[in-house]
């Protein structure tokens, strides 16, 4: 869901006392639609993406590109060192003006305003000077894109046009009764509210209908009068005027469904209403998984396609090889037929299409052997012997090729799991490089490769303070297990399930049972069994883990281990993560 005007008001009221007077230390732009302003101890995220426009304080660390975008450089020029003067939201608008006291190159103090337009696909981030002129914007809007309103450097900023509907905070009881009486009788209550009033989101319109009638599908004629709906809207309007908000997230089957600034009852037992200590914490939790999935979809789409195509090709190839291998197991029949032809040469003449004889391998049972009439009897026998020898050789070759195909199939399954768990741009670059080295992607040749920094493993701390490192990809798994680990550290991996290598850095100490369970839970979380329960996880000392010669990245073997069963939980994983 996109943030509505009321939730935006709640966020602004929460942020204003926390940010007023703070100085901007750094400006970052980790993604095309995201800007982060770093203050001392605080990180303000401004997102102008179509699917999730918002502003909030965030605890999530995001990787920045090697070269900052032009808009980021512009913000650094004008806002670095500036102090927040005020945060203002026009009433019931999805607009936020963050005003800064900034100094120019000559040290003269002036005003800069950063405007967030959180309006779905028309969202934008615009920097204004002290006179209200546009310095620049995240998305420039020219006359070809909009004849009514342009957003270009040098133009005075004009806010988006009003919808013409009455703001619901300005309604009176008499006006509401008149509008209700004029409404179509078959119209649902939430549709009536959305048609008549400005500032209500579909979720809140349905909630007001539910509070008034006990059902979100109630029609105007079924309510019997405007009283119940007016009282519900009046109570909500009073809460908005008094800024009495409660950040809540609606959860269904453990996944975030929606969020709101007041309690939501319309879903009944179909969704759980979970309260959060702040709107920033709520928005971090709600959008974290969605952003990860979106990054995977956008950045990892080609990798997923390449890996899935290679995997499917291998599956078909392996199926053909298994069919051919099964055929080679019946090769003794070819040798016997060659022997029977040789034993009956004296009875045969050239041009015959079959040989009828006794099979002395099966108690002289009758046998019929097809012949090529164009070949001599000796040549027919040689043909069967040759097919027998070919099948015998093919068995050995196919056994080797099937082993290689199964190895590559397991490797590609592990890569697909990595892509789905990837979080940062560097993760995708590392996986792309890995697939290229493995031969599943074409190499770039001599083309200049993008700058990149080595990605560090995910790091966690157990309850007793022991470090836990988790590999992000197969090559990092190898490095973590075979190079960086102490031989006495404990190594964890899901049993017969693709996943990351997990290292509990105990360096000879005896970890507590709780440490082992927490490390095993991380191994289950960073595996294909993330959504499962009672997941078996093997663990052993690093000294017992070996890499076979010629094995693909990330593939190891171990013989001595113990097994613990755990159920991965996202909240526990977040609690253990080192920030």
């Amino acid at each position: 869901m996109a943030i509505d005007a009321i939730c935006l008001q709640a966020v602004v009221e929460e942020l204003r006392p926390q940010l007023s007077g703070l100085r901007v230390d750094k400006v970052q732009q980790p993604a095309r639609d995201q800007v982060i302003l770093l203050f001392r101890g605080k990180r303000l995220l401004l997102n102008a993406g179509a699917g999730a426009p918002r502003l909030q304080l965030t605890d999530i660390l995001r990787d920045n590109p090697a070269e900052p975008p032009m808009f980021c450089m512009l913000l650094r020029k004008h806002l670095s060192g500036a102090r927040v003067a005020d945060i203002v939201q026009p009433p019931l608008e999805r607009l936020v003006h963050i005003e800064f006291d900034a100094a120019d190159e000559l040290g003269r103090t002036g005003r800069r305003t950063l405007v967030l337009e959180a309006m779905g696909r028309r969202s934008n981030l615009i920097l204004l000077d002290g006179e209200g002129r546009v310095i620049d914007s995240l998305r420039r809007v020219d006359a070809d894109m909009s004849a009514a309103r342009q957003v270009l450097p040098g133009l005075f900023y004009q806010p988006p046009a009003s919808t013409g509907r009455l703001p619901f905070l300005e309604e009176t009881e008499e006006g509401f009764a008149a509008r209700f009486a004029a409404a179509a009788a078959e119209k649902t209550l939430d549709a009536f509210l959305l048609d008549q009033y400005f500032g209500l989101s579909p979720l809140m319109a349905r909630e007001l209908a539910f509070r008034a009638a006990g059902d979100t599908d109630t029609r105007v004629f079924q309510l019997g009068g405007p009283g119940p709906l007016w009282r519900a809207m009046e109570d909500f309007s009073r809460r908005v005027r008094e800024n009495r908000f409660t950040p809540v997230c609606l959860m269904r089957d453990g996944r975030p469904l929606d969020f709101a600034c007041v309690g939501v009852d319309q879903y009944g037992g179909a969704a759980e209403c979970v309260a959060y200590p702040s709107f920033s914490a709520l928005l971090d939790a709600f959008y974290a998984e969605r952003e990860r999935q979106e990054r995977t979809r956008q950045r990892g789409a080609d990798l997923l396609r390449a890996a899935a195509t290679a995997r499917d090709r291998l599956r078909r190839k392996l199926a053909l090889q298994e069919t051919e291998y099964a055929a080679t197991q019946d090769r003794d029949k070819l040798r016997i037929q060659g022997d029977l032809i040789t034993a009956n040469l004296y009875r045969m003449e050239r041009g015959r299409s079959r040989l009828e004889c006794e099979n002395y391998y099966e108690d002289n049972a009758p046998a019929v052997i097809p012949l090529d009439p164009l070949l001599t009897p000796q040549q027919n026998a040689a043909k069967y012997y040759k097919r027998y020898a070919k099948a015998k050789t093919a068995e050995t070759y196919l056994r080797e090729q099937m082993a290689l195909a199964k190895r590559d199939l397991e490797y590609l399954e592990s890569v697909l799991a990595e892509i789905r768990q990837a979080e940062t741009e560097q993760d995708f670059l590392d996986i792309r490089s890995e697939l290229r080295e493995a031969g599943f992607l074409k190499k770039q040749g001599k083309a200049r490769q993008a700058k990149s920094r080595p990605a560090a493993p995910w790091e966690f701390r157990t309850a007793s303070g022991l470090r836990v490192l988790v590999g992000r990809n197969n090559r990092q798994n190898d490095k973590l297990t075979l190079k960086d680990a102490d031989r006495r550290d404990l190594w964890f991996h899901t049993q017969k399930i693709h996943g990351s290598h997990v290292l509990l850095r105990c360096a000879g100490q005896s970890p507590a049972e709780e440490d082992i369970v927490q490390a095993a839970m991380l191994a289950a979380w960073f595996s294909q069994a993330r959504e499962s329960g009672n997941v078996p996880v093997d663990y052993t000392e690093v000294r017992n883990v070996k890499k076979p010669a010629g094995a693909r990245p990330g593939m190891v073997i171990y013989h001595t281990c113990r097994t613990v069963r755990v159920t991965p939980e996202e909240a526990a994983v977040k609690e253990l993560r080192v920030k």
Side-chain angles (χ1 to χ4, degrees):
M1 130 176 201
I3 194 168
D4 63 26
I6 308 303
C7 285
L8 197 59
Q9 177 181 331
V11 174
V12 169
E13 293 300 320
E14 178 180 283
L15 294 181
R16 187 182 292 115
Q18 298 186 60
L19 298 180
S20 293
L22 294 187
R23 185 171 64 89
V24 177
D25 293 329
K26 292 182 180 180
V27 180
Q28 299 173 343
Q29 190 175 348
R32 179 177 178 271
D33 300 322
Q34 294 179 353
V35 168
I36 293 180
L37 304 181
L38 278 76
F39 305 91
R40 180 170 297 179
K42 299 182 186 297
R43 303 166 57 86
L44 178 65
L45 168 68
L46 298 106
N47 191 317
R54 67 194 187 279
L55 83 162
Q56 62 168 104
L57 294 177
T58 181
D59 292 328
I60 299 175
L61 300 179
R62 295 168 169 83
D63 282 2
N64 295 301
E67 297 181 3
M70 292 300 296
F71 189 68
C72 179
M73 297 297 291
L74 178 80
L75 294 181
R76 288 178 181 179
K77 174 184 176 181
H78 289 275
L79 299 184
S80 292
R83 292 188 180 274
V84 178
D86 200 2
I87 304 178
V88 180
Q89 179 197 16
L92 299 183
E93 295 283 358
R94 288 179 291 170
L95 304 175
V96 178
H97 295 238
I98 307 176
E99 299 180 359
F100 297 89
D101 290 328
D104 60 15
E105 295 86 345
L106 300 178
R108 296 174 298 191
T109 303
R111 180 59 61 95
R112 296 289 184 270
T113 303
L114 191 58
V115 181
L116 172 66
E117 298 181 349
M119 308 180 73
R121 58 187 178 85
R122 294 184 288 118
S123 298
N124 207 346
L125 200 57
I126 306 167
L127 181 64
L128 310 179
D129 63 14
E131 298 179 351
R133 293 180 184 271
V134 176
I135 298 176
D136 209 343
S137 61
L138 195 64
R139 296 182 181 87
R140 295 183 178 182
V141 181
D142 57 22
D144 292 335
M145 300 171 66
S146 173
R149 174 177 178 260
Q150 289 84 51
V151 181
L152 296 171
L155 298 181
F156 281 103
Y157 173 74
Q158 298 293 331
S162 174
T163 62
R165 289 172 292 165
L166 179 69
F168 77 93
L169 293 177
E170 299 178 9
E171 182 61 288
T172 63
E173 185 173 2
E174 294 77 13
F176 184 84
R179 292 174 185 271
F180 189 87
E186 292 295 330
K187 182 168 288 188
T188 59
L189 297 181
D190 61 319
F192 161 73
L193 293 173
L194 292 174
D195 286 346
Q196 297 293 328
Y197 298 104
F198 173 71
L200 289 174
S201 68
L203 174 66
M204 289 314 306
R206 291 195 306 271
E207 183 64 17
L208 293 179
F210 180 82
R211 293 181 181 185
D215 190 350
T216 57
D217 294 327
T218 301
R219 311 283 173 172
V220 168
F221 78 91
Q222 294 175 318
L223 192 60
L229 188 58
W230 165 250
R231 286 191 291 273
M233 191 170 82
E234 186 182 32
D235 178 67
F236 180 63
S237 300
R238 190 180 304 112
R239 292 178 66 98
V240 173
R241 291 191 189 96
E242 297 172 358
N243 292 316
R244 291 188 290 115
F245 301 116
T246 303
V248 295
C249 183
L250 299 170
M251 307 290 291
R252 178 181 290 169
D253 298 329
R255 295 180 178 275
L257 174 67
D258 214 331
F259 63 87
C261 57
V262 296
V264 176
D265 303 322
Q266 60 186 275
Y267 292 101
E272 180 185 5
C273 201
V274 180
Y276 277 77
S278 68
F279 279 96
S280 291
L282 165 64
L283 294 173
D284 254 0
F286 184 83
Y287 284 109
E289 179 65 16
R290 177 178 291 188
E291 287 183 355
R292 189 190 69 79
Q293 292 175 352
E294 182 65 16
R295 284 195 300 271
T296 300
R297 187 186 68 82
Q298 292 180 350
R299 302 176 184 176
D302 60 332
L303 293 179
L304 277 171
R305 185 166 52 252
T309 300
R311 178 201 59 190
D312 295 341
R313 187 185 300 118
L314 269 176
R315 283 177 175 173
R316 292 192 296 268
K317 179 181 177 181
L318 185 58
L320 290 174
Q321 289 174 340
E322 288 175 344
T323 301
E324 294 177 6
Y325 183 80
T328 65
Q329 303 307 297
D330 199 27
R331 64 180 181 275
D332 281 345
K333 181 179 178 181
L334 299 171
R335 179 181 56 81
I336 291 172
Q337 288 174 325
D339 288 348
L340 293 178
I341 293 174
T342 303
N344 290 275
L345 287 176
Y346 69 95
R347 301 169 52 185
M348 298 175 59
E349 296 178 0
R350 184 167 184 166
R352 296 179 61 180
S353 60
R354 64 179 186 172
L355 169 65
E356 296 179 4
C357 62
E358 297 78 22
N359 186 353
Y360 50 81
Y361 286 99
E362 297 180 1
D363 298 329
N364 292 324
V368 178
I369 304 173
L371 301 175
D372 186 343
L374 299 179
L375 301 179
T376 65
Q378 292 84 353
Q379 288 174 330
N380 271 292
K383 179 181 177 181
Y384 277 101
Y385 287 134
K386 184 177 181 180
R387 288 173 59 189
Y388 168 77
K390 184 177 179 180
K392 187 175 181 181
T393 304
E395 180 188 30
T396 304
Y397 175 79
L398 286 170
R399 189 185 298 117
E400 296 172 354
Q401 293 300 308
M402 288 165 59
L404 292 175
K406 290 177 181 178
R407 180 202 67 176
D408 288 347
L409 197 56
E410 284 193 22
Y411 169 71
L412 288 171
E413 291 287 359
S414 70
V415 170
L416 287 169
E418 290 172 9
I419 296 172
R420 295 187 183 98
Q421 293 176 1
E423 293 182 350
T424 67
E425 180 68 28
Q426 188 60 43
D427 290 340
F428 291 104
L429 290 175
D430 290 343
I431 295 171
R432 187 183 300 276
S433 175
E434 180 183 326
L435 284 173
R436 203 173 277 129
E437 288 186 6
F440 295 107
L441 284 179
K442 292 182 179 179
K443 295 189 177 181
Q444 289 182 330
K446 296 183 179 179
R448 185 175 69 88
Q449 300 199 4
K451 296 180 181 178
S452 62
R453 294 173 292 182
W458 286 301
E459 185 171 349
F460 300 83
R461 293 274 180 182
T462 65
S464 62
L466 295 181
R467 291 178 70 204
V468 182
L469 301 178
V470 180
R472 292 174 178 262
N473 53 66
N474 282 319
R475 290 196 302 184
Q476 193 175 89
N477 286 337
D478 279 351
K479 183 175 183 295
L480 191 65
T481 302
L482 305 173
K483 294 183 179 180
D484 297 344
D486 186 288
R487 288 170 55 81
R488 298 166 293 175
D489 290 339
L490 289 183
W491 180 88
F492 293 76
H493 196 281
T494 44
Q495 187 182 95
K496 298 180 181 179
I497 302 172
H498 294 295
S500 296
H501 293 197
V502 175
L503 201 65
L504 178 61
R505 304 302 295 266
C506 45
Q509 303 178 22
S510 296
E513 186 66 25
E514 185 179 10
D515 297 327
I516 292 175
V517 170
Q518 289 175 342
M521 187 190 63
L522 290 171
W525 178 259
F526 290 99
S527 75
Q528 290 181 326
R530 174 176 289 192
E531 305 296 333
S532 305
N534 202 27
V535 181
V537 178
D538 293 340
Y539 68 96
T540 185
E541 289 187 337
V542 170
R543 73 182 75 195
N544 298 322
V545 181
K546 309 295 180 185
K547 187 173 186 67
R552 288 289 192 187
M555 303 300 168
V556 295
I557 57 174
Y558 56 96
H559 300 291
T560 302
C561 71
R562 299 179 66 184
T563 302
V564 59
R565 290 183 175 272
V566 294
T567 298
E569 298 177 358
E570 183 176 7
V573 172
K574 289 182 177 179
E575 186 177 346
L576 297 176
R577 186 145 187 189
V578 174
K579 298 180 180 178

